[in-house]
Amino acid sequence: MTKAIVLSDYGAPEVLVPSEVEVGSPGPGRIRVNIAFAGVGPTDLAIRSGRLKGAFGAHPGSVLGFEAAGTVDAVGPSVDDVRPGDPVAVFLPGLGGYAEQVLARHWVRVPEQVGLQDAAALPASGEAAARVVDEVGVASGETVLVVGAAGSVGLIAARLAAARGARVLAAVRPEDFALLEKAGATPVAYGPALAANVRAAAGRVDAVIDASGAGVLGAAVELAGGPGRVVTLSDPHAADFGARLSGPDGPRIDERLRDVMTALATGEITLRSRTVAPLADAARIHRELETGGLRTKVLLSARA
């Protein structure tokens, strides 16, 4: 048994309660990881509240968390790229990160240049960012709009698109302009005048990545001259606009994890500032994220 934060029901943050869960031994192609830090993301909050009830296999009794980092505790048959004691970051499409141990089937070894906090903040956001940059086909010389570019996924996507030679317009709040300028993007004000602000900065754009899910697809399709190169990570109305609603691409998860970890180690991408809290404080963290009390990436420490 291992200590974990369990979803006792759907609802307010208080449904996240300390408990113990059975982890078991790793089967073929799996590893068991002693977690140091687990990332908290907006989808965790949506699942817990019931807005995404049942998504990703979640149900009362589940452990939330799509990403974590720590050290390998045991490896299953056919695993030959890591061994017990190795530092790894894991991506957990089936959840399980808010715990002291987890079984994983998608992982990447953490290089010496990367600390475990950065490693834990990378897998879910990095995989998603690399995926959407691929899906809209970002190419050198193009202009790409990233909406929600100050978030964990948006910031990485902006850096990856810029690394491909694209001009990146970053739709963010004015207080985040400096962050995106430092990331090599041109900030534009997010809000009702988004389309006009983008036209003033660049005219039309070649592609749009929506990392906000906040009802911008109409403007995105208009700016891109059609829905063919518009992708959203979380807007459930994507089909109404002919846009793509992106989801994890199983066959390429491991490749993308390696790519973004290498980019992090070499400084090609950077991550948001973060807050670290004890695993036992998961309910408090969810509450503060929902009320706007926290605007950083949050990690839960299983070591506290």
Side-chain angles (χ1 to χ4, degrees):
M1 303 292 284
T2 189
K3 293 180 181 178
I5 302 299
V6 170
L7 181 69
S8 64
D9 198 352
Y10 297 107
E14 287 70 27
V15 302
L16 296 175
V17 297
S19 186
E20 291 190 343
V21 297
E22 184 68 42
V23 175
S25 300
R30 304 291 193 273
I31 62 174
R32 188 172 64 215
V33 178
N34 292 329
I35 294 176
F37 302 99
V40 179
T43 305
D44 298 355
L45 277 63
I47 294 171
R48 189 221 72 234
S49 70
R51 295 199 306 275
L52 290 178
K53 185 179 293 187
F56 307 99
H59 55 81
S62 292
V63 176
L64 299 182
F66 288 97
E67 59 189 358
T71 55
V72 177
D73 179 62
V75 302
S78 76
V79 174
D80 57 10
D81 60 333
V82 292
R83 60 185 181 181
D86 285 346
V88 292
V90 295
F91 176 53
L92 306 164
L95 305 173
Y98 294 12
E100 292 185 345
Q101 278 193 337
V102 70
L103 292 177
R105 59 187 174 92
H106 298 294
W107 64 85
V108 59
R109 204 176 191 285
V110 179
E112 292 182 359
Q113 305 95 310
V114 177
L116 286 181
Q117 287 191 18
D118 279 345
L122 180 69
S125 300
E127 187 277 336
R131 177 183 0 118
V132 293
V133 168
D134 284 343
E135 286 174 348
V136 298
V138 175
S140 180
E142 293 188 322
T143 299
V144 179
L145 172 65
V146 180
V147 184
S152 297
V153 178
L155 183 59
I156 298 173
R159 290 295 296 262
L160 292 176
R164 290 192 180 191
R167 179 189 182 191
V168 179
L169 300 183
V172 293
R173 299 174 182 178
E175 58 263 35
D176 293 319
F177 276 20
L179 172 67
L180 272 301
E181 288 171 347
K182 186 177 179 180
T186 300
V188 295
Y190 172 82
L194 175 62
N197 295 337
V198 171
R199 289 194 187 95
R204 68 182 297 274
V205 299
D206 296 291
V208 180
I209 293 169
D210 171 30
S212 71
V216 300
L217 291 181
V221 169
E222 178 184 344
L223 288 164
R229 297 183 69 189
V230 176
V231 64
T232 180
L233 282 155
S234 58
D235 193 324
H237 302 293
D240 297 339
F241 296 90
R244 179 172 186 154
L245 177 59
S246 185
D249 177 7
R252 297 194 62 188
I253 288 175
D254 295 333
E255 171 195 349
R256 289 186 172 125
L257 289 178
R258 290 191 295 269
D259 288 347
V260 294
M261 185 61 77
T262 298
L264 181 61
T266 59
E268 183 178 299
I269 63 174
T270 55
L271 304 177
R272 293 180 68 196
S273 60
R274 69 185 63 87
T275 298
V276 180
L279 181 64
D281 286 0
R284 175 181 66 82
I285 290 299
H286 273 232
R287 174 73 66 193
E288 292 188 19
L289 287 169
E290 284 188 336
T291 59
L294 281 173
R295 292 195 64 235
T296 65
K297 176 71 177 183
V298 179
L299 301 178
L300 299 175
S301 172
R303 293 175 168 176

